């Protein structure tokens, strides 16, 4: 969460106290907390049974009563409801009664909070909660009490540091726009990854990414200050991937973002019709019936039909998991961090459908089989369609959404047959086969039953060997007695220059072969994958993370 100043004395926080004990007539509580009641008011337990709030007849108090909270809610989540309105001085969560109390520094801040949440519904983990003045004037805590929850104490300290930081001249005050700096960026952080993380705390309106002082940064705009506060409090100091890509979050001085293009650098989620800024992409989108990057229903593209309510998905440890994606990693490496590690899907991070639009292809060289082989490195290709009226563009349908995301992540802007291709989500849900009698010229092919799929088996080990395109290729399924010269000759006869070659020391069925460039390796993979080495052996080719 980052460094925070120590909490002032007396700001202890307690959890799971019984409200009957807490709100006893004498006002005394055996565990050290005291609520000072205001006269002539009903007991809070009776208030908690009401469905509607009667704010008109409530007397102001700096203590806020919050009802209908989820059982699993944390003190930090209660606190961030209050911090946009002023300094939070204490918090009390009654999980057994689905209630919480939040003490503000003064009645003015509390009144602003109650007024705000009469005009919009407060939500915690997707559940509507009810905010009203408490019938009690203050929360008093015993400074000597030793059972304060450490995470809750840290949350209150963070809130106080947050309020103090708002006056820092180097950043803006509480705002709807967050400035996000990625430190120790070992693996790429895409706009889609940022969207999936920050949308867990509310609706993301706009994102702009950029590099400043050799550091990757982003500006993220929310619809209101409360949501931005929640995201900042929860995410500041967290790692996107194990031990790296640390989020440092502050408030931007900008009140709103002006986004001109929807592409891999910026996105306006409120306006799906913006151009990409790339003429070739925009023309391809126009041809396929889309009007912008976001023409695909965006909620479906991002797996948002069932919003994630828990900030970190499944209950995984920070040390052994990727906390912001919510699943355990099976190994190490960028491919694992991006979700390929164990063939697992990224919860809430299905940033594409299963169909990709590829543009700026070399139409003289590209074939459905070439695209099948190349995209098949990152998932099982079901169908390929080269567009009849625009043969430099194609649709590729993958078996799974996360496979399409992997392919897009690794191959967008890759040089293939002398041209830099663009890979992006398509608005289509599937690739249609041509109707009978319809001219197609072999531009559409179905690979549903292909024997060359690499990921047919769930949890296939091939998922652990997915790497970005590189000049070094991994070869497997080599006959035991085959020589280095025979394999090198096969590549040379196919028109490729071999820079280096090495058998695996303990397994001669596998080898590494290094080409002159990444582009040569891409072409070699397309041409040599499934090359017949013997009567019973066909070569298997993939990209390697190693060099020779």
């Amino acid at each position: 969460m980052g460094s925070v100043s120590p909490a002032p004395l007396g700001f202890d926080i307690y959890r799971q106290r019984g409200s009957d004990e807490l709100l006893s007539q004498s006002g005394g509580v055996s565990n050290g907390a005291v609520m000072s009641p205001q006269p002539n008011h009903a007991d809070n337990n009776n208030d908690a049974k009401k469905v509607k709030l009667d704010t008109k007849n409530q007397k102001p108090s700096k203590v806020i009563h919050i009802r209908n909270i989820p059982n699993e809610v944390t003190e930090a989540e209660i606190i961030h409801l209050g911090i946009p309105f002023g300094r939070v001085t204490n918090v009390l969560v009654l999980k057994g009664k689905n209630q919480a109390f939040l003490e503000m520094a003064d009645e003015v801040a509390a009144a602003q909070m109650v007024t705000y949440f009469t005009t919009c519904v407060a939500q915690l983990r997707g559940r509507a909660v009810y905010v009203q003045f408490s019938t009690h004037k203050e929360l008093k805590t015993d400074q000597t009490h030793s059972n304060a929850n450490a995470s809750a104490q840290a949350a209150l300290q963070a809130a106080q540091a947050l309020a103090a930081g708002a006056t820092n001249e180097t950043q803006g005050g509480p705002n709807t726009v967050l400035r996000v700096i990625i430190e120790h960026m070992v693996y790429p952080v895409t706009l889609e990854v940022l969207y999936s993380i920050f949308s867990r705390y509310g609706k993301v309106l706009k994102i702009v990414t950029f590099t400043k002082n050799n550091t990757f940064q982003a500006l993220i705009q929310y619809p209101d200050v409360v949501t931005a506060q929640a995201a900042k409090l929860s995410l500041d100091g967290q790692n996107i991937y194990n031990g790296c890509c640390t989020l440092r979050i502050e408030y931007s001085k900008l009140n709103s973002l002006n986004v001109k293009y929807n592409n891999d650098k910026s996105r306006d989620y409120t306006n799906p019709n913006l151009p990409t800024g790339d003429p070739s992409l925009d023309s391809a989108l126009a041809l396929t019936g889309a009007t912008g990057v976001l023409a695909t229903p965006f909620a479906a593209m991002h797996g948002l039909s069932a919003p994630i309510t828990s900030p970190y998905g499944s209950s995984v440890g920070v040390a052994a998991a990727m906390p912001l994606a919510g699943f355990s990693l099976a190994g190490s490496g960028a491919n694992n961090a991006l979700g390929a590690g164990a063939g697992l899907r990224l919860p809430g991070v299905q940033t594409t459908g299963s169909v990709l639009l590829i543009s700026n292809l070399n139409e003289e060289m590209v074939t459905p089989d070439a695209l099948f082989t190349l995209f098949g490195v990152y998932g099982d290709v079901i169908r390929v369609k080269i567009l009849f009226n625009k043969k430099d563009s194609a649709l590729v349908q993958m078996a799974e959404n996360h496979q399409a995301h992997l392919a897009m992540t690794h191959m967008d802007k890759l040089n293939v047959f002398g041209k830099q291709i663009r890979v992006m989500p398509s608005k289509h849900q599937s690739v249609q086969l041509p109707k009978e009698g319809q001219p197609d010229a072999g531009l559409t092919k179905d690979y549903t039953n292909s024997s060359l799929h690499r990921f047919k088996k769930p949890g296939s080990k091939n998922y652990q060997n997915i790497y970005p395109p590189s000049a070094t290729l991994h070869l497997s399924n080599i006959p035991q007695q085959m020589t280095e010269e025979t394999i090198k000759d096969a590549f040379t006869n196919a028109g490729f220059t071999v820079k280096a070659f090495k058998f695996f020391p303990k397994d001669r069925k596998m080898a590494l072969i290094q080409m002159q460039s990444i582009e040569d390796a891409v072409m070699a993979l397309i041409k040599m994958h499934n090359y017949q080495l013997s009567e019973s052996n066909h070569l298997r080719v993939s990209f390697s993370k190693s060099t020779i």
Side-chain angles (χ1 to χ4, degrees), residues 339-352:
L344 298 176
R345 301 186 186 207
L346 290 163
V349 193
Q350 291 186 353
T351 55
T352 66

Side-chain angles (χ1 to χ4, degrees), residues 66-391:
I66 304 168
R67 299 187 289 108
N68 197 41
I69 66 171
N71 288 330
E72 68 276 12
V73 79
T74 65
E75 282 85 353
E77 291 168 280
I78 298 294
I79 290 168
H80 78 237
L81 284 179
I83 55 179
F85 306 98
R87 189 163 64 92
V88 178
T89 56
N90 213 341
V91 66
L92 184 64
V93 176
L94 309 175
K95 291 196 173 182
K97 297 293 183 179
N98 298 104
Q99 302 178 47
F101 294 89
L102 196 65
E103 183 181 273
M104 307 300 291
D106 52 55
E107 287 185 4
V108 174
Q112 289 177 339
M113 180 176 176
V114 171
T115 301
Y116 181 85
F117 286 120
T118 58
T119 60
C120 69
V121 178
Q123 287 195 343
L124 288 172
R125 301 189 177 228
R127 178 191 286 191
V129 298
Y130 305 106
V131 177
Q132 65 186 98
F133 290 118
S134 170
T135 58
H136 299 270
K137 290 192 247 183
E138 59 184 341
L139 284 173
K140 292 182 181 178
T141 55
D142 183 353
Q143 298 176 17
T144 62
H145 197 278
S146 60
N147 293 327
N149 180 270
S151 64
Q153 181 69 34
L156 189 58
Q157 291 176 356
Q160 293 153 2
L162 183 69
T167 60
N168 191 327
E169 292 180 358
T170 64
Q171 60 178 327
N175 192 1
T176 59
V177 180
L178 298 177
R179 181 184 177 210
V180 181
I181 300 170
I182 311 294
E183 296 180 350
H184 314 300
M185 198 169 94
V186 177
Y187 306 132
V189 176
T190 65
L191 185 144
E192 284 78 13
V193 167
L194 290 173
Y195 178 89
S196 72
I197 293 168
F198 282 83
S199 63
R200 297 179 182 192
Y201 300 89
K203 183 179 181 181
V204 173
L205 300 183
K206 301 173 184 178
I207 300 179
V208 175
T209 63
F210 57 96
T211 300
K212 184 177 181 180
N213 300 327
N214 294 321
T215 304
F216 182 78
Q217 302 185 30
L219 295 171
I220 299 175
Q221 183 177 344
Y222 284 109
D224 55 70
V225 175
V226 173
T227 309
Q229 290 270 21
K232 183 180 186 302
L233 179 65
S234 300
L235 294 174
D236 187 29
Q238 296 287 345
N239 294 331
I240 298 178
Y241 305 121
N242 285 353
C244 65
C245 299
T246 305
L247 295 169
R248 298 298 178 197
I249 305 174
E250 58 188 40
Y251 294 105
S252 170
K253 292 183 179 180
L254 298 173
N255 293 317
S256 181
L257 299 179
N258 181 23
V259 177
K260 294 181 179 179
Y261 302 114
N262 283 335
N263 53 33
D264 59 345
K265 302 295 183 186
S266 62
R267 199 75 52 90
D268 184 343
Y269 298 95
T270 67
N271 186 1
N273 297 322
L274 288 177
T276 67
D278 184 325
S280 62
L281 269 182
D282 289 330
S283 63
L285 285 164
L287 185 72
T288 57
T291 52
V293 168
L294 305 184
T296 313
F298 214 76
M301 264 177 58
H302 286 76
L304 298 178
S305 53
I308 293 178
T309 54
S310 171
Y312 303 123
S314 58
S315 55
V316 292
V318 174
M322 180 171 138
L324 299 187
F327 69 90
S328 298
L329 296 179
S332 60
N335 59 303
N336 290 330
L338 291 170
L344 298 176
R345 301 186 186 207
L346 290 163
V349 193
Q350 291 186 353
T351 55
T352 66
S354 62
V355 181
L356 297 170
L357 171 64
I358 297 89
S359 59
N360 201 39
L361 291 163
N362 184 332
E363 55 187 281
E364 295 181 2
M365 299 289 291
V366 72
T367 64
D369 285 347
L371 293 175
F372 166 78
T373 301
L374 180 58
F375 280 76
V377 171
Y378 300 104
D380 293 337
V381 176
I382 303 303
R383 288 176 182 171
V384 176
K385 177 189 284 290
I386 295 175
L387 302 186
F388 188 78
N389 294 321
K390 189 172 174 56
K391 293 184 174 60

Side-chain angles (χ1 to χ4, degrees), residues 408-419:
M408 182 174 69
T409 301
H410 288 301
M411 289 197 293
D412 185 39
K413 299 182 181 178
L414 179 67
N415 286 322
V416 181
F417 297 126
K419 298 189 74 173

